[in-house]
Amino acid sequence: QVQLVESGGGLVQAGGSLRLSCSASGSIFSINNMVWYRQAPGKQRELVAGITSGGSTDYATSVKGRFTISRDYGKNTAYLQMNRLKPEDTAVYYCNALIYTQRGTFSDYWGQGTQVTVSS
C-alpha cells in the first residue's frame, strides 16, 4: 500500500507564510511527478504547483513568485513554501503523486488534504 500524508496547513494572516509537506510512504519503487492542488469552497480543484522527478517545476499564474515547490527525494517528500499569502489562497490543499510501486503498478495517489485559511 502507498499513502500520501499532507501537513502544515493552518490559519495565517494575509501576508504571512506557511510551508506544506507531502510525505509518501509504503511500497514505493519510484515517484514521478508530485503536484499540489487546491480546492476552495464552491470552486473546482485547481493545480497550484508541480515538480517532476527531474526537478522541473511549474506553477499556476496566481501563485508564481509567491509559492515554491521542492522535493526531498530521499524522504519521498514534497514541500510547498507559500509566502505573501492572500485571502484568495484559502482552500484545502491536496497532494498528488504518480508512483511506481514495488508490485510493478503505476498509479495516481492523493492525500487527504490540509486546510489553509488566510485571514484579511
Side-chain angles (χ1 to χ4, degrees), residues 3-10 19-24 33-51 58 60 63 67 69-70 77-82 89-98 108-117:
Q3 279 190 321
L4 291 184
V5 178
E6 300 104 332
S7 62
R19 188 195 195 206
L20 305 184
S21 298
C22 169
S23 295
N33 298 340
M34 297 188 81
V35 184
W36 286 97
Y37 289 83
R38 67 186 180 188
Q39 188 166 20
K43 294 188 177 181
Q44 289 188 331
R45 191 171 294 190
E46 63 174 353
L47 186 148
V48 176
I51 184 167
D58 196 17
V63 307
F67 291 10
I69 189 170
S70 60
T77 298
Y79 303 97
L80 186 67
Q81 178 66 43
M82 306 185 295
D89 294 319
T90 295
V92 178
Y93 283 70
Y94 297 91
C95 179
N96 170 269
L98 197 54
D108 223 13
Y109 292 88
W110 288 89
Q112 81 288 352
T114 186
Q115 176 70 47
V116 171
T117 303

Side-chain angles (χ1 to χ4, degrees), residues 65 106 113:
F106 198 48

